[in-house]
Amino acid sequence: MSAVTLDPFGAGADPGMPLLTQALDPVVVERHLRALDAAPFGGGGAAGLALRTIRVVRHKPGRRCVIEYDLDVTRGDGSPEVVTLMAKARARGADTGTFRLVQALRARGFDEASPDGIAVPEPVGVIPELGVWLQRKVRGPAVTAALAQANGVSLARRLAEAVHKLHEAGVATRRRHTMADELRMLHRCLESLQETRPEWASRLRRLLAACDRLGAATAPGPPCGVHRDFYPDHVLLEGERLYLLDFDLYGEGDPALDVGNCIAHVTEQSLRTLGDPGALGDRETALEDRFVELAGESARPSMRA
């Protein structure tokens, strides 16, 4: 059988990401995968490997792309396995930094053997010639929908435990993110909104001024490695195990940022899906309280800010 390439976004023709042509070519991709000495292939090469499907699942033209590779793998004992790899491509080339970060997290207990049930997907390798790094796909759904179900409160507490474990992992990074950086991003976004909705201009100016005052009055927490985009869509639930995803923005910052960001996303989810911003308030409270139990009461004001 020859592999099938599914590219509904037309990513292969993206002039800003010329390596995607190679990353979507079945012959080229299979050759590079066979050259990897990776655990999903049994280690020591992958003689029993056949590429079946290439599927583009996300594409931001000129910036990044996410591709899935479906493989048939034959183990050394002859047993077959279907493996799906997630390939993350950037216009600047393969993101080796994030690959190494995920490797470091796995080495610090974020794997399938962790008794707390908190992991990151297994990193597989980097293929610079294709501009991608690879990790094994986790089959479970995002936590988002499950938060609104009967066990949502206990799941919210587990989210707090997962992000606290990340903060305690101690994986070094050169990137820094401060309250000033957060406020600059907010100004950029809301000033852009003001251009498209000029009738909101005075309200937006008042809002930004209030945010600036709040930011100036908020004492930063002890810096550590933070996710910076932690929210329920970036956590998968496979059985009882949580998998944290998407560490592209990982940097040193205030750990309260991750929890405040997550709570804000739950509020938005409540409003968007249930028509009431307070509908999942007990989940937000559980997330906040459990994080404070782990990180200390001093984190609460920063989290709310």
Side-chain angles (χ1 to χ4, degrees):
M1 293 176 62
S2 57
V4 176
T5 298
L6 305 174
D7 182 12
F9 304 97
D14 185 347
M17 299 185 68
L19 290 180
L20 285 181
T21 302
Q22 299 291 299
L24 298 178
D25 184 317
V27 175
V28 175
V29 171
E30 185 168 302
R31 183 175 71 247
H32 282 290
L33 291 177
R34 286 179 178 274
L36 286 177
D37 182 9
F41 311 144
L49 180 152
L51 178 64
R52 293 305 180 205
T53 308
I54 298 176
R55 188 168 44 252
V56 179
V57 296
R58 202 176 311 149
H59 178 227
K60 289 190 176 181
R63 296 181 62 189
R64 61 179 67 93
C65 187
V66 179
I67 308 164
E68 293 182 356
Y69 297 140
D70 292 336
L71 315 171
D72 290 336
V73 176
T74 303
R75 300 293 181 188
D77 61 3
S79 60
E81 182 182 0
V82 176
V83 174
T84 298
L85 301 181
M86 305 291 295
K88 295 192 173 185
R90 292 189 313 178
R92 292 181 292 165
D95 187 356
T96 56
T98 300
F99 173 74
R100 293 193 187 102
L101 167 63
V102 176
Q103 279 187 316
L105 289 172
R106 295 275 296 190
R108 285 165 169 78
F110 284 80
D111 62 7
E112 288 70 27
S114 60
D116 57 17
I118 299 166
V120 296
E122 179 185 3
V124 173
V126 180
I127 307 178
E129 298 86 350
L130 305 183
V132 303
W133 72 278
L134 304 163
Q135 64 184 150
R136 186 192 283 260
K137 181 179 180 177
V138 174
R139 299 289 179 180
V143 164
T144 309
L147 270 181
Q149 297 173 3
N151 66 336
V153 170
S154 61
L155 190 54
R157 289 176 62 85
R158 290 199 66 202
L159 287 177
E161 292 163 4
V163 77
H164 179 70
K165 179 179 178 179
L166 175 66
H167 298 159
E168 295 286 296
V171 179
T173 173
R174 294 181 179 178
R175 187 182 288 161
R176 302 288 183 271
H177 187 79
T178 66
M179 178 65 80
D181 296 320
E182 192 73 13
L183 287 168
R184 272 194 295 271
M185 292 167 55
L186 186 63
H187 273 266
R188 185 169 64 248
C189 291
L190 293 189
E191 287 164 2
S192 175
L193 176 60
Q194 182 176 309
E195 294 177 4
T196 59
R197 301 301 296 264
E199 69 274 22
W200 292 351
S202 62
R203 291 176 62 194
L204 289 170
R205 284 195 295 270
R206 292 197 303 273
L207 176 60
L208 284 171
C211 290
D212 287 338
R213 291 193 297 272
L214 179 60
T218 302
C224 65
V226 297
H227 188 285
R228 277 194 55 216
D229 199 16
F230 182 74
Y231 71 110
D233 268 5
H234 283 168
V235 184
L236 301 184
L237 183 62
E238 187 177 68
E240 295 299 315
R241 188 168 297 278
L242 297 181
Y243 282 89
L244 309 188
L245 307 179
D246 291 336
F247 289 88
D248 307 52
L249 298 180
Y250 182 86
E252 184 181 274
D254 187 338
L257 171 65
D258 282 339
V259 188
N261 183 69
C262 190
I263 290 172
H265 274 84
V266 176
T267 305
E268 189 277 334
Q269 177 186 346
S270 301
L271 179 61
R272 173 170 41 83
T273 64
L274 301 171
D276 176 4
L280 299 177
D282 55 347
R283 277 71 168 169
E284 297 177 21
T285 299
L287 176 58
E288 178 180 316
D289 287 347
R290 179 56 178 149
F291 187 76
V292 167
E293 289 174 13
L294 297 168
E297 186 62 40
S298 60
R300 198 184 299 273
S302 298
M303 203 186 324
R304 292 181 172 178

